[in-house]
């Protein structure tokens, strides 16, 4: 069995194949090397090849073999979902003319189930990706990638609850960029945006993984330092100032 999926660039990806006792994963066939899978996708027709050794594909297409060359019977079915051909599945068996009409009937059902399952899985993955992306966008500042005020309010509330419960020390640092307005006015907002991004990048490299950097608005930022004493927090600010001045 070989499952082939056509990609946007015209190449074919084989996410899974089991041929001659060998399992194959994520094999890519380039646009130039058109195979039987490509031909069935392009022709949009089922194909039964009784003897692979005595069958020639049309010009521009060729058989791709895995392992030792041998005679096989091949039944290829286009994978279709909502009238769109997006791939092919090949059923193979060693020997000459090894499949019956009952086999074809079962293979057709399996191909339909596989096509539907593949597209549903793809759709769910896309939904999950969009959901994750939208969730991140609701918490992150789109320009700098720092957390936004919405995240800060929820996070701070939870942090205060934990502080009361576990009697932990936490620090909150408020800072803004010196002369940012003058820089913006003189060099333009594009340059100002680059400075903000650079500030966030350096800050993330300086802070601990558990520390939280928030863009509160404009050039104003907050740094939440969980489980950090006042002395430790002062050291963090000094280290950040030193790295920013480099």
């Amino acid at each position: 069995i070989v499952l082939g999926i056509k990609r946007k660039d015209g190449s074919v990806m084989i996410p899974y194949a089991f041929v001659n006792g060998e399992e194959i994963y994520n094999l890519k066939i380039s646009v130039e090397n058109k195979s039987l899978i490509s031909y069935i996708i392009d022709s949009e027709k089922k194909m039964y090849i009784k003897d692979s050794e005595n069958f020639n594909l049309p010009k521009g297409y060729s058989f791709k073999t895995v392992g030792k060359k041998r005679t096989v019977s091949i039944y290829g079915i286009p994978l279709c979902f909502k009238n769109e051909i997006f791939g092919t599945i090949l059923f193979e068996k060693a020997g000459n003319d090894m499949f019956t009409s009952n086999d074809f009937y079962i293979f057709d059902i399996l191909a339909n189930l596989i096509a539907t399952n593949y597209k549903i899985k793809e759709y769910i993955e896309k939904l999950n990706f969009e959901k994750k992306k939208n969730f991140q966008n609701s918490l992150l500042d789109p320009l700098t990638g720092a957390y936004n005020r919405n995240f800060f309010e929820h996070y701070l509330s939870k942090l205060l609850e934990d502080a009361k419960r576990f009697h932990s020390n936490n620090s909150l640092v408020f800072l803004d960029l010196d002369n940012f307005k003058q820089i913006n006015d003189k060099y333009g907002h594009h340059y100002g945006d680059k400075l903000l991004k650079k500030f966030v990048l350096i800050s993330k490299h300086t802070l601990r993984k558990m520390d939280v950097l928030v863009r509160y608005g404009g050039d104003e930022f907050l740094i939440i330092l969980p489980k950090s004493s006042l002395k430790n927090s002062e050291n963090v600010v000094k280290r950040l100032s030193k790295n920013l001045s480099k």
Side-chain angles (χ1 to χ4, degrees):
I1 184 171
V2 179
L3 175 64
I5 305 298
K6 187 175 182 179
R7 303 176 70 173
K8 290 181 179 180
D9 62 0
S11 63
V12 171
M13 173 60 72
I14 299 177
Y16 178 79
F18 184 76
V19 181
N20 198 20
E22 181 182 350
E23 286 189 307
I24 300 169
Y25 297 94
N26 300 322
L27 174 66
K28 183 180 178 180
I29 301 176
S30 66
V31 181
E32 295 77 18
N33 297 320
K34 289 196 171 186
S35 62
L36 175 60
I37 291 175
S38 302
Y39 178 71
I40 293 174
I41 292 173
D42 294 342
S43 66
E44 301 183 357
K45 294 178 181 179
K46 301 175 186 177
M47 175 175 285
Y48 179 42
I49 301 172
K50 296 180 181 181
D51 181 356
S52 61
E53 290 295 293
N54 293 299
F55 181 87
N56 293 317
L57 286 167
K59 186 177 179 180
Y61 301 88
S62 61
F63 278 110
K64 309 296 178 188
T65 58
V66 176
K68 187 178 179 181
K69 195 172 183 180
R70 61 201 177 107
T71 297
V72 293
S73 302
I74 304 172
Y75 184 51
I77 309 169
L79 295 177
C80 180
F81 187 78
K82 291 185 176 181
N83 299 319
E84 176 196 358
I85 304 295
F86 68 90
T88 298
I89 186 164
L90 304 178
F91 296 95
E92 299 183 0
K93 190 172 183 180
N96 189 343
D97 196 13
M98 299 300 294
F99 295 135
T100 67
S101 57
N102 285 335
D103 292 327
F104 298 149
Y105 176 75
I106 293 171
F107 292 155
D108 287 344
I109 293 174
L110 286 174
N112 184 54
L113 290 173
I114 290 169
T116 303
N117 181 69
Y118 185 88
K119 278 298 181 180
I120 289 175
K121 179 175 177 288
E122 189 180 67
Y123 183 66
I124 291 173
E125 288 175 349
K126 185 178 179 181
L127 283 178
N128 287 336
F129 174 79
E130 291 296 330
K131 182 180 178 182
K132 183 179 180 181
K133 185 178 178 181
N134 290 335
F135 178 71
Q136 288 178 336
N137 288 340
S138 70
L139 302 177
L140 298 177
D141 172 53
L143 175 65
T144 64
Y147 287 106
N148 59 24
R149 189 183 298 190
N150 181 43
F151 173 85
F152 167 71
E153 292 173 353
H154 287 85
Y155 182 82
L156 185 62
S157 176
K158 184 178 183 303
L159 191 68
L160 291 174
E161 289 179 8
D162 290 344
K164 291 178 182 178
R165 182 179 178 185
F166 300 108
H167 306 289
S168 58
N169 293 320
N170 304 289
S171 298
L172 177 65
V173 179
F174 179 85
L175 50 88
D176 62 3
L177 306 187
D178 293 341
N179 305 316
F180 183 75
K181 185 179 184 306
Q182 290 86 336
I183 293 173
N184 245 352
D185 293 340
K186 184 175 181 180
Y187 298 104
H189 291 285
H190 179 70
Y191 186 79
D193 289 347
K194 288 177 67 175
L195 283 181
L196 292 173
K197 291 177 184 178
K198 186 70 174 178
F199 167 77
V200 169
L201 183 64
I202 293 173
S203 297
K204 286 182 176 181
H205 286 155
T206 303
L207 300 173
R208 302 171 300 175
K209 286 186 177 181
M210 69 170 64
D211 298 332
V212 176
L213 178 64
V214 178
R215 187 183 181 193
Y216 198 69
D219 64 332
E220 297 175 338
F221 288 86
L222 298 170
I223 300 176
I224 303 174
L225 302 168
K227 300 177 182 179
S228 178
S229 65
L230 181 59
K231 181 64 177 177
N232 289 335
S233 300
E234 288 175 348
N235 291 334
V236 170
V237 173
K238 288 178 182 177
R239 188 163 67 249
L240 178 58
S241 297
K242 181 180 178 181
N243 290 341
L244 289 170
S245 63
K246 289 180 180 179

